[in-house]
Amino acid sequence: MESLQKVALVFTIIGAIVWGLIGLFNFNLVDYIFVETLNIKFLANLIYIIVGICGIINIGILFNHIESK
């Protein structure tokens, strides 16, 4: 389970960077790569779904940290 959480954490960090770009520069990197360049809206939606699932998986990291104290 630890390796799954690490992979999920990487996707969550990437998602946070994308949201930072949206907030700071109004630039959506995922849409730019997959929709504007490759014209594949489904793949962009899939990326958003994966990042959301990874965020939910990472809730376990929070609870593991609280329990270990």
Side-chain angles (χ1 to χ4, degrees):
M1 187 64 162
E2 184 177 324
S3 59
L4 174 65
Q5 285 182 328
K6 286 182 181 180
V7 170
L9 186 58
V10 169
F11 276 98
T12 305
I13 290 168
I14 292 169
I17 292 169
V18 169
W19 274 109
L21 289 173
I22 292 170
L24 290 171
F25 305 112
N26 199 24
F27 176 71
N28 189 333
L29 183 62
V30 174
D31 279 351
Y32 177 75
I33 292 172
F34 294 109
V35 178
E36 294 179 20
T37 306
L38 300 175
N39 202 19
I40 307 173
K41 181 66 176 166
F42 171 75
L43 196 53
N45 288 340
L46 184 63
I47 297 293
Y48 294 131
I49 292 168
I50 290 171
V51 170
I53 291 170
C54 289
I56 292 169
I57 291 171
N58 284 328
I59 292 173
I61 294 174
L62 174 66
F63 289 119
N64 285 340
H65 181 70
I66 292 172
E67 290 175 2
S68 64
K69 284 190 172 185

